[in-house]
mmCIF file of all heavy atoms in Angstrom:
data_model
loop_
_atom_site.group_PDB
_atom_site.id
_atom_site.type_symbol
_atom_site.label_atom_id
_atom_site.label_comp_id
_atom_site.label_asym_id
_atom_site.label_seq_id
_atom_site.Cartn_x
_atom_site.Cartn_y
_atom_site.Cartn_z
ATOM 1 N N PRO A 7 45.257 -6.806 27.044
ATOM 2 C CA PRO A 7 44.903 -6.027 28.220
ATOM 3 C C PRO A 7 44.689 -6.923 29.421
ATOM 4 O O PRO A 7 44.381 -8.108 29.278
ATOM 5 C CB PRO A 7 43.590 -5.346 27.793
ATOM 6 C CG PRO A 7 43.027 -6.242 26.739
ATOM 7 C CD PRO A 7 44.217 -6.787 26.010
ATOM 8 N N ALA A 8 44.862 -6.375 30.590
ATOM 9 C CA ALA A 8 44.636 -7.142 31.812
ATOM 10 C C ALA A 8 43.173 -7.537 31.894
ATOM 11 O O ALA A 8 42.293 -6.888 31.345
ATOM 12 C CB ALA A 8 45.031 -6.308 33.041
ATOM 13 N N ALA A 9 42.908 -8.629 32.648
ATOM 14 C CA ALA A 9 41.536 -9.130 32.748
ATOM 15 C C ALA A 9 40.599 -8.089 33.316
ATOM 16 O O ALA A 9 39.453 -7.952 32.887
ATOM 17 C CB ALA A 9 41.522 -10.396 33.617
ATOM 18 N N GLU A 10 41.085 -7.314 34.296
ATOM 19 C CA GLU A 10 40.218 -6.319 34.907
ATOM 20 C C GLU A 10 39.849 -5.234 33.902
ATOM 21 O O GLU A 10 38.740 -4.717 33.895
ATOM 22 C CB GLU A 10 40.890 -5.717 36.142
ATOM 23 C CG GLU A 10 39.973 -4.767 36.908
ATOM 24 C CD GLU A 10 40.579 -4.347 38.226
ATOM 25 O OE1 GLU A 10 41.197 -5.179 38.888
ATOM 26 O OE2 GLU A 10 40.420 -3.166 38.583
ATOM 27 N N GLU A 11 40.797 -4.876 33.009
ATOM 28 C CA GLU A 11 40.504 -3.867 32.007
ATOM 29 C C GLU A 11 39.469 -4.372 31.013
ATOM 30 O O GLU A 11 38.640 -3.636 30.513
ATOM 31 C CB GLU A 11 41.798 -3.489 31.273
ATOM 32 C CG GLU A 11 42.803 -2.747 32.155
ATOM 33 C CD GLU A 11 44.136 -2.547 31.457
ATOM 34 O OE1 GLU A 11 44.370 -3.217 30.425
ATOM 35 O OE2 GLU A 11 44.925 -1.726 31.924
ATOM 36 N N MET A 12 39.512 -5.694 30.728
ATOM 37 C CA MET A 12 38.565 -6.261 29.781
ATOM 38 C C MET A 12 37.165 -6.297 30.371
ATOM 39 O O MET A 12 36.182 -6.072 29.679
ATOM 40 C CB MET A 12 39.001 -7.668 29.383
ATOM 41 C CG MET A 12 40.244 -7.691 28.504
ATOM 42 S SD MET A 12 40.590 -9.327 27.843
ATOM 43 C CE MET A 12 41.181 -10.176 29.283
ATOM 44 N N SER A 13 37.048 -6.581 31.666
ATOM 45 C CA SER A 13 35.736 -6.715 32.272
ATOM 46 C C SER A 13 35.233 -5.415 32.883
ATOM 47 O O SER A 13 34.044 -5.150 32.917
ATOM 48 C CB SER A 13 35.781 -7.785 33.374
ATOM 49 O OG SER A 13 36.571 -7.334 34.462
ATOM 50 N N GLY A 14 36.162 -4.610 33.405
ATOM 51 C CA GLY A 14 35.764 -3.363 34.043
ATOM 52 C C GLY A 14 35.211 -3.542 35.441
ATOM 53 O O GLY A 14 34.836 -2.575 36.096
ATOM 54 N N GLY A 15 35.132 -4.801 35.948
ATOM 55 C CA GLY A 15 34.533 -5.045 37.245
ATOM 56 C C GLY A 15 35.550 -5.372 38.309
ATOM 57 O O GLY A 15 36.715 -5.620 38.034
ATOM 58 N N VAL A 16 35.087 -5.355 39.544
ATOM 59 C CA VAL A 16 35.908 -5.747 40.686
ATOM 60 C C VAL A 16 35.103 -6.726 41.529
ATOM 61 O O VAL A 16 33.878 -6.810 41.411
ATOM 62 C CB VAL A 16 36.329 -4.533 41.550
ATOM 63 C CG1 VAL A 16 37.222 -3.597 40.758
ATOM 64 C CG2 VAL A 16 35.105 -3.782 42.061
ATOM 65 N N SER A 17 35.795 -7.459 42.371
ATOM 66 C CA SER A 17 35.108 -8.375 43.278
ATOM 67 C C SER A 17 35.695 -8.258 44.667
ATOM 68 O O SER A 17 36.868 -7.907 44.833
ATOM 69 C CB SER A 17 35.214 -9.822 42.784
ATOM 70 O OG SER A 17 36.494 -10.360 43.054
ATOM 71 N N TYR A 18 34.868 -8.551 45.661
ATOM 72 C CA TYR A 18 35.255 -8.454 47.067
ATOM 73 C C TYR A 18 34.887 -9.743 47.803
ATOM 74 O O TYR A 18 33.894 -10.396 47.480
ATOM 75 C CB TYR A 18 34.531 -7.291 47.752
ATOM 76 C CG TYR A 18 34.805 -5.945 47.159
ATOM 77 C CD1 TYR A 18 33.996 -5.434 46.131
ATOM 78 C CD2 TYR A 18 35.854 -5.159 47.615
ATOM 79 C CE1 TYR A 18 34.242 -4.185 45.582
ATOM 80 C CE2 TYR A 18 36.099 -3.907 47.068
ATOM 81 C CZ TYR A 18 35.291 -3.426 46.051
ATOM 82 O OH TYR A 18 35.540 -2.193 45.504
ATOM 83 N N VAL A 19 35.700 -10.086 48.797
ATOM 84 C CA VAL A 19 35.308 -11.120 49.740
ATOM 85 C C VAL A 19 34.452 -10.417 50.787
ATOM 86 O O VAL A 19 34.966 -9.750 51.689
ATOM 87 C CB VAL A 19 36.526 -11.794 50.395
ATOM 88 C CG1 VAL A 19 36.067 -12.844 51.404
ATOM 89 C CG2 VAL A 19 37.411 -12.436 49.334
ATOM 90 N N ARG A 20 33.154 -10.548 50.631
ATOM 91 C CA ARG A 20 32.230 -9.768 51.457
ATOM 92 C C ARG A 20 31.931 -10.421 52.806
ATOM 93 O O ARG A 20 31.666 -9.743 53.800
ATOM 94 C CB ARG A 20 30.927 -9.550 50.686
ATOM 95 C CG ARG A 20 29.866 -8.824 51.480
ATOM 96 C CD ARG A 20 28.742 -8.315 50.632
ATOM 97 N NE ARG A 20 27.663 -7.769 51.446
ATOM 98 C CZ ARG A 20 26.797 -6.853 51.035
ATOM 99 N NH1 ARG A 20 26.896 -6.375 49.804
ATOM 100 N NH2 ARG A 20 25.844 -6.419 51.823
ATOM 101 N N GLY A 21 31.961 -11.746 52.843
ATOM 102 C CA GLY A 21 31.666 -12.429 54.099
ATOM 103 C C GLY A 21 32.269 -13.812 54.107
ATOM 104 O O GLY A 21 32.414 -14.441 53.055
ATOM 105 N N VAL A 22 32.642 -14.312 55.292
ATOM 106 C CA VAL A 22 33.189 -15.661 55.429
ATOM 107 C C VAL A 22 32.584 -16.333 56.648
ATOM 108 O O VAL A 22 32.141 -15.677 57.595
ATOM 109 C CB VAL A 22 34.731 -15.651 55.555
ATOM 110 C CG1 VAL A 22 35.367 -15.073 54.310
ATOM 111 C CG2 VAL A 22 35.186 -14.883 56.788
ATOM 112 N N GLY A 23 32.570 -17.653 56.611
ATOM 113 C CA GLY A 23 32.048 -18.423 57.741
ATOM 114 C C GLY A 23 32.641 -19.810 57.752
ATOM 115 O O GLY A 23 33.040 -20.331 56.705
ATOM 116 N N ASN A 24 32.733 -20.411 58.910
ATOM 117 C CA ASN A 24 33.252 -21.775 59.014
ATOM 118 C C ASN A 24 32.654 -22.489 60.203
ATOM 119 O O ASN A 24 32.159 -21.863 61.146
ATOM 120 C CB ASN A 24 34.778 -21.786 59.131
ATOM 121 C CG ASN A 24 35.303 -21.166 60.411
ATOM 122 O OD1 ASN A 24 35.503 -19.945 60.465
ATOM 123 N ND2 ASN A 24 35.520 -21.970 61.445
ATOM 124 N N THR A 25 32.686 -23.807 60.156
ATOM 125 C CA THR A 25 32.330 -24.624 61.301
ATOM 126 C C THR A 25 33.594 -24.902 62.101
ATOM 127 O O THR A 25 34.694 -24.539 61.689
ATOM 128 C CB THR A 25 31.748 -25.974 60.863
ATOM 129 O OG1 THR A 25 32.788 -26.752 60.239
ATOM 130 C CG2 THR A 25 30.601 -25.796 59.874
ATOM 131 N N ARG A 26 33.423 -25.556 63.221
ATOM 132 C CA ARG A 26 34.568 -26.097 63.934
ATOM 133 C C ARG A 26 35.146 -27.248 63.106
ATOM 134 O O ARG A 26 34.429 -27.912 62.358
ATOM 135 C CB ARG A 26 34.136 -26.599 65.315
ATOM 136 C CG ARG A 26 35.250 -27.074 66.205
ATOM 137 C CD ARG A 26 34.749 -27.266 67.640
ATOM 138 N NE ARG A 26 33.699 -28.257 67.725
ATOM 139 C CZ ARG A 26 33.908 -29.576 67.830
ATOM 140 N NH1 ARG A 26 35.158 -30.049 67.836
ATOM 141 N NH2 ARG A 26 32.909 -30.413 67.928
ATOM 142 N N PHE A 27 36.454 -27.479 63.186
ATOM 143 C CA PHE A 27 37.099 -28.606 62.521
ATOM 144 C C PHE A 27 37.472 -29.659 63.568
ATOM 145 O O PHE A 27 37.806 -29.324 64.702
ATOM 146 C CB PHE A 27 38.360 -28.167 61.780
ATOM 147 C CG PHE A 27 38.124 -27.676 60.374
ATOM 148 C CD1 PHE A 27 37.065 -26.832 60.069
ATOM 149 C CD2 PHE A 27 38.967 -28.068 59.341
ATOM 150 C CE1 PHE A 27 36.857 -26.378 58.780
ATOM 151 C CE2 PHE A 27 38.770 -27.624 58.038
ATOM 152 C CZ PHE A 27 37.707 -26.770 57.762
ATOM 153 N N GLY A 28 37.440 -30.928 63.168
ATOM 154 C CA GLY A 28 37.780 -32.018 64.069
ATOM 155 C C GLY A 28 36.827 -33.166 63.847
ATOM 156 O O GLY A 28 36.320 -33.361 62.748
ATOM 157 N N ARG A 29 36.548 -33.945 64.872
ATOM 158 C CA ARG A 29 35.566 -35.018 64.770
ATOM 159 C C ARG A 29 34.213 -34.458 65.189
ATOM 160 O O ARG A 29 34.023 -34.058 66.349
ATOM 161 C CB ARG A 29 35.945 -36.215 65.650
ATOM 162 C CG ARG A 29 34.973 -37.397 65.503
ATOM 163 C CD ARG A 29 35.408 -38.582 66.342
ATOM 164 N NE ARG A 29 36.648 -39.183 65.855
ATOM 165 C CZ ARG A 29 36.716 -40.078 64.862
ATOM 166 N NH1 ARG A 29 35.614 -40.458 64.230
ATOM 167 N NH2 ARG A 29 37.882 -40.568 64.502
#
Side-chain angles (χ1 to χ4, degrees):
E10 186 172 321
E11 292 173 345
M12 289 189 287
S13 68
V16 296
S17 77
Y18 300 90
V19 178
R20 177 166 173 155
V22 298
N24 66 273
T25 68
R26 185 168 61 85
F27 273 43
R29 183 178 292 277

